[in-house]
Amino acid sequence: MTTINTLLLFGLGTQEILLIALVVLLLFGGAKIPELMKGLGKGVKSFKEGMKDIDDEPKKTDE
């Protein structure tokens, strides 16, 4: 098998990822996808900052 066929992302192959991308494109349209990705990026960034704050909290209380 080639490297492309063995590409796995959460147990999904290339064909499944392409099918999911096509469904998302059909549901939301081309204009909405950048807005969705921007919102997703902000959400991930906020989540990472929240996790960092949780990690920093015990250090602050020990001092």
Side-chain angles (χ1 to χ4, degrees), residues 6-57:
T6 59
L7 172 70
L8 295 177
L9 178 68
F10 301 113
L12 299 175
T14 305
Q15 291 178 340
E16 290 87 359
I17 293 172
L18 290 174
L19 180 65
I20 292 168
L22 179 65
V23 169
V24 169
L25 182 63
L26 290 173
L27 288 176
F28 297 108
K32 290 284 185 180
I33 292 177
E35 293 176 28
L36 292 171
M37 293 298 110
K38 184 177 180 181
L40 181 65
K42 285 183 179 181
V44 169
K45 182 179 178 182
S46 175
F47 178 77
K48 286 182 179 181
E49 288 174 357
M51 292 301 292
K52 183 180 177 186
D53 289 344
I54 290 173
D55 290 342
D56 291 343
E57 222 171 271

